[in-house]
Amino acid sequence: MNDPSRPSTLSPLPAQKRAADSVGALPGGRVVAVLGPTNTGKTYLAMERMLAHASGMMGFPLRLLARENYDKVVKAKGAGQVALVTGEEKIIPPGARYWICTVESMPLDHVTQFLAVDEIQLAADPERGHIFTDRLLHARGTEETMFLGSDTIRPLLQKLIPKAEFVSRPRFSSLTYSGHKKLTKLPPRAAVVAFSAADVYGLAELLRRTRGGTAVVLGALSPRTRNAQVQLYQEGAVDYLVATDAIGMGLNMDVDHVAFARLSKFDGQQPRRLRAPEVAQIAGRAGRHLTDGTFGTTDEAPPLDPELIDAVENHTFETLKTLMWRNVNLDFRSPQALLRTLEERPPSPVLIRAREADDHLALQALAQDADLMRLANNPLAVRLLWEVCQIPDFRKVLSDAHTRLLSQIFKYLRDGPAGTLPLDWVAAQVARLDRGEGDIDTLVSRIAHIRTWTYISHRPGWLDDPVHWQERTRAIEDRLSDALHERLTQRFVDKRSAGLVKRLADGRDLLGAVDHDGRVLVEGHPVGRLHGVAFQLDADVPAADAKAITTAARRALGDVITQRVRALETAPDAAITLDGGGELSWDGAVIGVLAPGPTPLAPLVRLVGDDFLQTGQREPVRARLARWMEAHVARVLAPLTALAAAALGKEGQGTELSGAGRGIAFQVAEALGGLPRAALEPLIATLTKEDRRRLAALGLRLGFSQVFLAALTRPAAVALRGLLWSVARGVPVAVPAPGRVTLPVGDLPPDFLAAIGYIPLGARALRVDMLDRLEKSLADRAKAGPLTVVDDLVLSLGVPRAEVPSLMSALGYRLGQPKAEGEPAPWLRRRPKTARVPTPAKAARGKAGAAPAQPAPASDNPFSILRTLVEAP
């Protein structure tokens, strides 16, 4: 975990922290440890004590909690008296007396009368523990220091801080185990807990369908998004919350019941079962102040063991035996010296060296770059390198991309002409993140990226006009957070149904039906229409009634949707259509859209308008559309299938191709229908007459400069090949109008032109069959005499007269000298470089019938897909 609290300048570290290694030498008055379970008022007590002093500082484990408590202190003391310091946000008025921070960002060189650290038991956490241990050992207020946390840390505090006073705080309300309940039977005002985004989304989807919706809280959400989701729950728009253990650390909500849907989590290295204190920390979110709470299990989690239940209900847990530690007296003489000091062993048996944190791992990775290490050639440069390594990657993956970003930042800061990050480079990095479109995962990733840049914008001296970039990155994060909240709400909160759910809970019901025209009726009134397998609400339905009406429609349509899914599964191929944008329609409605697949010939199908489909219905619908698409490709691009069969020796139509013929068929099929002839010339020279006849029967044309399947130039084949290319690349490109034989190259990608059978010749691309016809006509004229007249042939293809010279040059011709004055200059063919080809006699000396060696096609190349189509029963 990064430690942004370390001084960001290159000055020596504060004397207060480094004067001595022993705790007893630290300045400060009384040290108080306030310990107890959740809902004991520990934070409230510390806030009161801080405000009773002339100055104070509190470190919280989450940026969200820091912001929440900052707002409270501002309300009590005024904005001019309070500073907020986190890795991504700094609000520091000139006269600030009270500092609210994340634990990592506490500016410990700033002296205050009071200092407190919340959730001090996190000193045992494998990832962040060394930072909390550092605060425990070195952070003090001049008059009072307070550590807040669980009783499990008491014995270690007594060893490390012998003079500390201890205050135990009992829980205000009771916490009782209520057993295992089905997810659909959970009481209102319940929080469901899982430990992965996939599990959270799956549980939220089920609650949306059965309970009208749920709020969602994950650690990967930005604070603004988390606040918006919590507010959705607190205001009663939904009665349920699905979350990871992010809710276990101080989020204040009116939760009556906590249900564990999973009892194991991934701790950064391996999956493991939850420990009793972790269960208690999360379960303790149930109940507020004097209101009792309950906890239990649901979904896949089994009932809890009696020993665990007793420990949670009575707050009796095994105490911590060790705390995480990392050396803070670092040697900046060289990167190697810095690494050595980071790896030093702890001075006490109750402290264990923390595993490599993100900043440590980043330094190890950058130390492998010899050029970068040459720049880190003095203590100031090494200290700067360490500061750069502390830039967090909020995606928590420490990818090569993040390491490259750190390397580039260090080089700009160390060796750039201005000693700051270049304005244009920063602007480009930030601008690409300022996009609010995309799904939930995409927005989460963008928020993680922009949070990294927000952190960078707060580093002193790294940017010109840092205030501008702080405001810019914060504004982008806010916009992305709002978009993410909207996506989460759209996906997991059926606002149209929340009122109906409550009415049904009171024993009231609504009746719905579907007529033969697909009109949906609720209580006899038309409210929408069924299109395909999707329901569309009428525009004139009052907004206040929409949620109840839609839920009633969903219930009414249950059997109808099932019938339609079955009808689609058995529908003939002719009932399904594909448009030029990749949308698949059935029954007059778009129900799927093509998405990139393993190869261009095998796109995936993504369902659209599938809100009313149950989980078990989506796959049959998707599979039917996928089968249709596979058959459609095989039908429209049938010549490819036939050629692939010939290459495999499975054409079953008389004499098989020789080795040379199969080699040509293989390569052309693998290239999706066409190749330059030069690449195949050695094989063409050895073809027998029977080979040529068989290849011609398969539609393969051995043209002047191209070998191609002529049938693939038909409009339907061209359109499908262009669509498949666009889907595979994610780049929409318009396919030429049917019948176009030539078109300007312009910005069209060369591989797109090749995919649809057009050959670029300078600024103009010719359809491959027209190119072959043109080359034959030019050759015939050249045989009859000097080739002086070509315009009529070229212009007939729609090529502008001004482009004739460049096109002829691209075809391999050059203008010669006229034989006599006044005569036109002839077009002369450049002599191509020809490959040496074995004579038929030499070829015959080879093994009779032996096919040339052919590379085994990889499972993900186009030819493998063709093989699948050929071999399918």
Side-chain angles (χ1 to χ4, degrees), residues 656-728:
E656 292 186 356
L657 291 169
S658 69
R662 291 175 60 192
I664 292 172
F666 173 86
Q667 295 186 52
V668 174
E670 188 178 45
L672 306 184
L675 276 176
R677 177 165 180 148
L680 300 172
E681 199 63 58
L683 292 174
I684 293 173
T686 62
L687 289 176
T688 66
K689 290 183 178 181
E690 182 60 25
D691 283 333
R692 292 175 180 271
R693 186 192 67 78
R694 286 288 298 118
L695 291 174
L698 289 165
L700 190 68
R701 186 174 298 175
L702 305 178
F704 273 71
S705 65
Q706 306 292 322
V707 177
F708 59 96
L709 287 166
L712 294 188
T713 63
R714 295 170 182 165
V718 171
L720 181 57
R721 292 162 77 189
L723 173 61
L724 292 175
W725 185 94
S726 296
V727 170

Side-chain angles (χ1 to χ4, degrees), residues 188-436:
R189 314 310 295 166
V192 181
V193 179
F195 298 95
S196 72
D199 285 340
V200 167
Y201 294 158
L203 293 164
E205 180 76 14
L206 182 56
L207 283 173
R208 180 186 72 85
R209 290 174 176 164
T210 58
R211 288 293 182 266
T214 178
V216 172
V217 172
L218 302 93
L221 302 184
S222 66
R224 185 180 179 97
T225 305
R226 270 185 284 181
N227 282 341
Q229 287 289 302
V230 169
Q231 184 178 6
L232 194 69
Y233 173 83
Q234 288 291 91
E235 292 176 346
V238 293
D239 277 334
Y240 298 91
L241 174 74
V242 182
T244 63
D245 50 349
I247 67 165
M249 203 64 69
L251 285 179
N252 297 316
M253 295 170 293
D254 298 326
V255 175
D256 295 336
H257 179 76
V258 170
F260 290 86
R262 305 289 185 272
L263 291 173
S264 62
K265 63 179 289 187
F266 184 77
D267 66 0
Q269 290 186 326
Q270 61 184 2
R272 63 168 178 81
R273 192 172 177 82
L274 291 178
R275 303 183 182 98
E278 293 171 321
V279 173
Q281 181 76 30
I282 300 168
R285 293 300 106 195
R288 293 291 301 146
H289 196 53
L290 299 178
T291 303
D292 294 339
T294 59
F295 69 101
T297 58
T298 188
D299 199 54
E300 296 180 6
L304 298 179
D305 298 332
E307 296 81 3
L308 177 58
I309 296 169
D310 180 70
V312 174
E313 289 184 338
N314 297 297
H315 318 297
T316 55
F317 307 105
E318 184 179 356
T319 58
L320 298 173
K321 299 299 186 290
T322 56
L323 301 180
M324 296 295 168
W325 177 89
R326 187 172 80 173
N327 186 23
V328 294
N329 295 310
L330 303 179
D331 186 347
F332 294 101
R333 287 177 296 176
S334 70
Q336 292 71 29
L338 175 58
L339 284 169
R340 282 195 298 271
T341 53
L342 283 169
E343 294 166 359
E344 284 189 7
R345 295 184 177 277
S348 168
V350 300
L351 303 175
I352 60 175
R353 186 165 69 86
R355 69 191 187 199
E356 287 87 349
D358 289 351
D359 49 8
H360 191 171
L361 293 172
L363 180 62
Q364 290 176 340
L366 294 179
Q368 306 303 312
D369 186 336
D371 293 336
L372 187 142
M373 288 300 99
R374 280 192 284 272
L375 295 176
N377 56 8
N378 62 68
L380 292 178
V382 176
R383 193 184 294 274
L384 175 62
L385 176 63
W386 180 235
E387 291 183 9
V388 170
C389 288
Q390 291 174 334
I391 296 173
D393 181 4
F394 288 99
R395 296 168 298 169
K396 300 297 182 186
V397 296
L398 197 66
S399 64
D400 291 342
H402 185 68
T403 304
R404 288 195 298 271
L405 174 66
L406 300 185
S407 175
Q408 188 64 65
I409 288 174
F410 177 71
K411 290 175 182 177
Y412 279 137
L413 295 176
R414 178 69 178 89
D415 207 31
T420 57
L421 299 179
L423 174 63
D424 292 344
W425 181 70
V426 174
Q429 297 290 321
V430 171
R432 67 188 180 87
L433 301 173
D434 193 5
R435 295 182 292 131

